[in-house]
């Protein structure tokens, strides 16, 4: 996971899992099931926090949701198009 060039961990395992899932079930299934479940869970948290009037937590969850969903969709599109090479 670590290389001599960079001390930061490389999360290759997630790329393998996402590539396998997209190859096995397709991109539409990846977006609807994998990304959709995470989006629904985070939207539920936003709704609960709005009901409890904790608006600072709502903003944090929304920012986290944008980062997470954008990253998952980006990695999924790269794996689907085959433009990411896994060493």
């Amino acid at each position: 996971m670590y290389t001599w060039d960079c001390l930061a961990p490389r999360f290759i395992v997630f790329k393998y899992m996402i590539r396998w899932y997209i190859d096995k079930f397709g991109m539409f299934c990846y977006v609807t099931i994998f990304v959709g479940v995470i989006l629904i869970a985070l939207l539920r948290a936003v709704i609960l926090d709005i009901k409890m009037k904790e608006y600072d937590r709502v903003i944090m969850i929304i920012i986290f949701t944008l980062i997470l969903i954008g990253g998952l969709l980006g990695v999924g599109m790269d794996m689907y198009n085959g433009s990411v090479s896994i060493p």
Side-chain angles (χ1 to χ4, degrees), residues 67-84:
I67 293 169
L68 184 65
I69 297 300
L72 286 174
L73 288 176
V75 168
M77 290 300 290
D78 282 346
M79 293 296 163
Y80 183 68
N81 293 330
S83 62
V84 172

Side-chain angles (χ1 to χ4, degrees), residues 4-82:
W4 292 107
D5 301 337
C6 180
L7 296 177
R10 294 174 31 192
F11 298 105
I12 302 293
V13 176
F14 296 117
K15 289 183 181 180
Y16 281 127
M17 289 188 322
I18 291 172
R19 176 174 278 176
W20 172 83
Y21 193 87
I22 290 174
D23 288 343
K24 187 80 170 169
F25 301 108
M27 185 65 181
F28 180 74
C29 190
Y30 168 75
V31 171
T32 55
I33 293 176
F34 194 73
V35 177
V37 168
I38 293 172
L39 182 63
I40 289 171
L42 290 171
L43 287 177
R44 183 176 182 273
V46 166
I47 291 170
L48 290 175
D49 284 334
I50 288 174
K51 287 181 182 178
M52 294 188 319
K53 298 185 186 216
E54 295 183 6
Y55 299 112
D56 55 342
R57 191 177 294 177
V58 170
I59 297 298
M60 288 188 294
I61 293 173
I62 289 173
I63 292 169
F64 176 69
T65 302
L66 291 173
I67 293 169
L68 184 65
I69 297 300
L72 286 174
L73 288 176
V75 168
M77 290 300 290
D78 282 346
M79 293 296 163
Y80 183 68
N81 293 330

